Amino acid sequence: MSHINTAPQHLAPGTAMDTAGGEVTCVDFWANGFGMRARIALRELGVAFRYVEEDLRSGDRSELVRRMNPVHRSIPILIHGGRPVCGSVNILEYVDETWGNDGGARLLPRDPLQRAHARFWADFVDQKVFSTQTRFLKSKGAAEKEAAKEELLDQLRRLEEVLGDKTFFAGDEFGFLDAVLIPFSSMFHGYEQHGGFSLENECPSLMRWVRRCKERDSVKSVLPDEDEMYELHKKWYGITE
Amino acid sequence: MSHINTAPQHLAPGTAMDTAGGEVTCVDFWANGFGMRARIALRELGVAFRYVEEDLRSGDRSELVRRMNPVHRSIPILIHGGRPVCGSVNILEYVDETWGNDGGARLLPRDPLQRAHARFWADFVDQKVFSTQTRFLKSKGAAEKEAAKEELLDQLRRLEEVLGDKTFFAGDEFGFLDAVLIPFSSMFHGYEQHGGFSLENECPSLMRWVRRCKERDSVKSVLPDEDEMYELHKKWYGITE
């Protein structure tokens, strides 16, 4: 059963609630890293939205999810004026195109090559980092776990290189790739517990970026408690240590 | 070894070769359905480009591919003014943002919700249809093959529903989702041979859409011979019948 929170979760001055096509709802689960992206993006762009919790710990999907995303029955789903947008990166593009402002807050840069760069690394996070994280957490035996750990650290170090000495991934402003990656940081404590390493030692500048992101209201209001995240994933993946 | 064809493959009047950042190169393999998307999109938007063939039948990637896409070493790669854009959907977005014209040819519609719709179904093609195609072609045993065949046909029928009675996926104009899906039609003959069914019977209106697409210069100059495609895939997947 999903818990429907009928109170708008975020009401910023000058929201687009009425000017861009009606009420905005985000259907998500508190521990869903993909959905956190959507909620962070909405807050970054000052969009008022209603939050509807869909508990992924239940095997059944709610009638709302089955109706709004009949193809995948997955979340997050953004519902704008009654019409659904599904898939976290797709939602970020939609949020940016609908509420992004050339003169103000926006997620993707204007330059097509920089946009392509951001989308390339977002895809890297989805196709590589997420699957490696899953393999690392589900690994059986020391050798498999060690191999997945090294691969995960290599991927995080590669992202650290992409960040370089910039404040955020696209420069001075928090944007698309920051919103894509920062939810994974809520599992970093879990990585450390599970793998017996320190990310401060392995990726110090990426960790400084995490702290900068967490200073933002959008991020700190969305990212869950790291211990709760790891406890949930331990149950999901049958981690016993 | 890749064959470098130094002659521009397509020179349309009023190309953007000089006005939007320098020479355009597309690195691809003739039978790569993902890369066909990029080549069709470039032709649709009248962009002159040099085609560099990377033979995927060789296990080694060329120095150009290793340098331009060190992360994945995959194709297609679009190189514009010396700078690479990797990943077929990413390339379509880039081509549209760089050479799409609000008053003329463009790939994605203007409306954010319609754009989200197109991206959603593009992701469906990549995440669902492609993996089902692979499973179908690699299937061992009658039951596994039959199950994969039914799933593939269900997915094609679902896309047929999305098309509806429109000329192209977004309406009257050939666009993004057409470019994403039409390369798969070069395997349709292979599906029929492998599965013993007729797509004219199973998805008649989707097949009419295929014929409409194939009337376009962009599509007919890029799609390979269907028999050659199936022969290649038979070798790849060890199909012996």
Side-chain angles (χ1 to χ4, degrees):
Chain A
M1 299 293 289
S2 70
H3 167 68
I4 297 184
N5 182 338
T6 53
Q9 290 288 296
H10 183 68
L11 283 168
T15 66
M17 189 119 158
D18 297 313
T19 58
E23 190 177 85
V24 179
T25 298
C26 186
V27 186
D28 197 16
F29 175 55
W30 65 269
N32 179 22
F34 296 101
M36 291 175 210
R37 296 170 171 176
R39 288 180 278 144
I40 289 169
L42 289 165
R43 287 164 189 269
E44 281 289 332
L45 267 56
V47 182
F49 66 100
R50 199 174 301 281
Y51 177 65
V52 177
E53 174 93 349
E54 175 85 7
D55 194 337
L56 287 186
R57 288 167 296 195
S58 155
D60 296 326
R61 292 286 74 81
S62 66
E63 186 277 336
L64 182 67
V65 167
R66 285 183 278 126
R67 181 160 47 86
M68 288 289 167
N69 190 0
V71 174
H72 302 300
R73 299 185 173 195
S74 63
I75 53 172
I77 305 170
L78 184 77
I79 307 171
H80 185 198
R83 295 181 299 182
V85 177
C86 302
S88 68
V89 170
N90 201 11
I91 290 172
L92 294 196
E93 298 265 7
Y94 180 82
V95 166
D96 204 28
E97 291 172 359
T98 304
W99 295 288
N101 187 328
D102 273 346
R106 52 183 300 134
L107 297 174
L108 280 162
R110 287 182 64 87
D111 175 64
L113 201 75
Q114 290 179 35
R115 296 165 73 87
H117 179 83
R119 289 179 179 126
F120 175 87
W121 287 106
D123 185 69
F124 177 83
V125 172
D126 282 1
Q127 302 300 325
K128 300 289 181 184
V129 180
F130 181 67
S131 65
T132 308
Q133 171 188 297
T134 304
R135 194 151 29 84
F136 172 56
L137 294 173
K138 290 172 91 164
S139 56
K140 305 292 177 206
E144 195 190 330
K145 182 171 174 176
E146 184 66 19
K149 180 189 104 176
E150 285 306 323
E151 199 174 316
L152 186 60
L153 286 172
D154 281 347
Q155 290 167 351
L156 293 177
R157 286 190 206 103
R158 205 180 264 262
L159 288 163
E160 191 172 44
E161 281 174 28
V162 175
L163 176 66
D165 57 6
K166 300 188 295 297
T167 306
F168 296 108
F169 274 94
D172 293 335
E173 305 293 335
F174 182 94
F176 183 83
L177 188 52
D178 303 296
V180 164
L181 183 60
I182 192 63
F184 280 73
S185 75
S186 60
M187 275 304 292
F188 284 3
H189 172 69
Y191 296 175
E192 293 177 324
Q193 296 292 306
H194 191 64
F197 55 80
S198 156
L199 281 169
E200 283 296 343
N201 292 340
E202 302 289 345
C203 310
S205 83
L206 192 69
M207 294 307 281
R208 284 193 291 276
W209 165 82
V210 169
R211 284 192 292 278
R212 282 194 294 277
C213 290
K214 284 184 175 173
E215 288 169 6
R216 304 179 77 79
D217 288 341
S218 66
V219 174
K220 69 181 165 201
S221 62
V222 166
L223 290 199
D225 179 85
E226 293 190 27
D227 287 319
E228 285 182 45
M229 274 296 273
Y230 187 46
E231 286 305 313
L232 182 72
H233 281 73
K234 280 166 80 169
K235 281 184 199 149
W236 265 339
Y237 294 128
I239 299 168
T240 50
E241 88 278 0
Chain B
M1 297 295 288
S2 69
H3 167 68
I4 297 185
N5 182 337
T6 53
Q9 290 287 298
H10 181 67
L11 281 169
T15 67
M17 190 118 157
D18 298 311
T19 57
E23 190 177 84
V24 180
T25 298
C26 186
V27 186
D28 198 15
F29 176 54
W30 64 270
N32 179 21
F34 296 101
M36 292 175 208
R37 296 170 172 177
R39 289 181 276 143
I40 289 169
L42 288 164
R43 287 164 189 270
E44 281 288 331
L45 267 56
V47 182
F49 66 99
R50 199 175 301 280
Y51 177 66
V52 177
E53 175 92 349
E54 173 85 8
D55 194 337
L56 287 187
R57 288 168 295 196
S58 155
D60 295 328
R61 291 288 74 81
S62 65
E63 187 275 338
L64 181 66
V65 167
R66 285 183 279 125
R67 181 160 47 87
M68 287 290 167
N69 190 0
V71 174
H72 302 299
R73 299 186 174 194
S74 62
I75 54 172
I77 305 170
L78 184 77
I79 307 172
H80 185 198
R83 295 181 298 181
V85 177
C86 302
S88 69
V89 169
N90 200 10
I91 290 172
L92 294 195
E93 298 265 7
Y94 179 81
V95 167
D96 204 29
E97 290 172 0
T98 304
W99 295 288
N101 187 328
D102 273 346
R106 53 184 299 135
L107 298 174
L108 280 163
R110 287 182 64 87
D111 175 65
L113 202 75
Q114 289 180 36
R115 295 165 73 88
H117 178 83
R119 289 180 180 126
F120 175 86
W121 287 106
D123 184 69
F124 178 83
V125 172
D126 282 1
Q127 303 300 325
K128 300 290 180 182
V129 180
F130 180 66
S131 65
T132 307
Q133 171 188 298
T134 305
R135 195 150 28 85
F136 172 55
L137 295 173
K138 290 172 91 165
S139 55
K140 306 291 177 209
E144 195 189 330
K145 183 171 173 176
E146 183 66 18
K149 181 190 104 176
E150 286 306 321
E151 198 172 317
L152 187 59
L153 287 172
D154 281 347
Q155 289 167 350
L156 294 177
R157 286 190 207 104
R158 206 181 264 263
L159 288 163
E160 191 172 45
E161 281 174 26
V162 175
L163 176 65
D165 57 5
K166 300 189 295 296
T167 306
F168 295 108
F169 274 94
D172 294 335
E173 305 293 336
F174 182 94
F176 182 83
L177 188 51
D178 304 296
V180 164
L181 183 60
I182 192 63
F184 281 73
S185 75
S186 61
M187 274 305 292
F188 283 2
H189 172 69
Y191 296 175
E192 292 178 324
Q193 297 292 306
H194 191 63
F197 56 81
S198 156
L199 281 170
E200 283 295 344
N201 292 341
E202 302 288 345
C203 311
S205 83
L206 192 70
M207 294 308 281
R208 286 193 291 276
W209 166 82
V210 169
R211 285 192 292 277
R212 282 194 295 277
C213 291
K214 284 184 174 172
E215 289 169 5
R216 304 178 77 81
D217 288 341
S218 66
V219 174
K220 69 182 166 203
S221 62
V222 166
L223 291 200
D225 180 85
E226 293 191 27
D227 286 319
E228 285 182 46
M229 274 296 272
Y230 187 46
E231 287 305 313
L232 182 72
H233 281 73
K234 280 166 81 169
K235 281 184 200 150
W236 265 339
Y237 294 130
I239 299 168
T240 51
E241 87 280 0

